Amino acid sequence: MKKFIIALMSAGLLFTGAVQAEAEQGSELHNPGGIGGVESLRGASELEATRPADDFKRFPRDHALDSDYVYQPPLVPHTIRNYEVSLNANKCLSCHSWKNAKEMGATKISVTHYVNREDAVLSDVSPRRYFCLQCHVPQADAKPLVENEFERVDSLR
């Protein structure tokens, strides 16, 4: 519904109150470039146009970023492009499982990943912890999309 309203606004078919006043003044917020585009975190783009994809981000392997808060899931210090994490396979476990970590030179997954909701210790990774990318994300050398003034807790400084 929101996309439909934006399309109507861009086409000049739907204006109400303050939106119409801004539109009549040529507001760049609702009409960047004056031709029906939408301003987003990716920049100005036309509704019907497809812009080229951004370059791939660089994943620094030489250092791992420190945690910013207690119990923060560790960031992944490498690319995960083409990693399959599905009901049938989990590429992360091929290196990070307790069975393979030493041989692969990787960090073992936490023992907390072997505990279910009833606090029973399992012999394999808990289903609620199986989909690694729900919590763990790759660290990339990329500029922030929005300003961030977050500060680490004192105990981690």
Side-chain angles (χ1 to χ4, degrees):
M1 182 67 175
K2 187 174 182 179
K3 287 182 181 179
F4 178 71
I5 291 173
I6 290 172
L8 289 176
M9 288 171 58
S10 296
L13 302 174
L14 177 68
F15 293 101
T16 59
V19 173
Q20 182 167 354
E22 287 183 19
E24 288 170 357
Q25 296 171 7
S27 171
E28 291 295 311
L29 177 65
H30 296 290
N31 196 2
I35 49 176
V38 175
E39 184 71 30
S40 72
L41 293 175
R42 289 182 265 170
S45 61
E46 291 297 314
L47 290 174
E48 290 80 25
T50 302
R51 68 176 190 80
D54 293 334
D55 292 333
F56 288 117
K57 302 294 184 218
R58 192 177 74 77
F59 294 93
R61 295 186 72 118
D62 51 351
H63 69 284
L65 296 177
D66 295 326
S67 296
D68 289 323
Y69 57 92
V70 180
Y71 297 118
Q72 174 184 344
L75 298 173
V76 180
H78 57 79
T79 183
I80 57 170
R81 188 167 177 78
N82 298 322
Y83 272 40
E84 182 179 356
V85 180
S86 67
L87 287 173
N88 300 323
N90 185 326
K91 174 71 171 161
C92 303
L93 295 177
S94 64
C95 294
H96 295 281
S97 68
W98 279 56
K99 177 182 175 184
N100 301 331
K102 187 173 184 178
E103 180 183 333
M104 300 301 290
T107 305
K108 292 180 186 175
I109 59 176
S110 169
V111 294
T112 60
H113 290 55
Y114 291 88
V115 179
N116 69 10
R117 289 186 176 137
E118 290 78 35
D119 290 330
V121 178
L122 307 172
S123 61
D124 205 357
V125 176
S126 172
R128 71 181 181 148
R129 298 290 185 100
Y130 180 79
F131 296 99
C132 309
L133 303 178
Q134 289 181 146
C135 300
H136 302 279
V137 296
Q139 62 185 25
D141 187 15
K143 71 176 187 124
L145 294 174
V146 294
E147 184 179 340
N148 183 357
E149 296 176 5
F150 180 83
E151 294 184 20
R152 290 182 175 173
V153 294
D154 291 334
S155 61
L156 294 176
R157 288 184 192 184

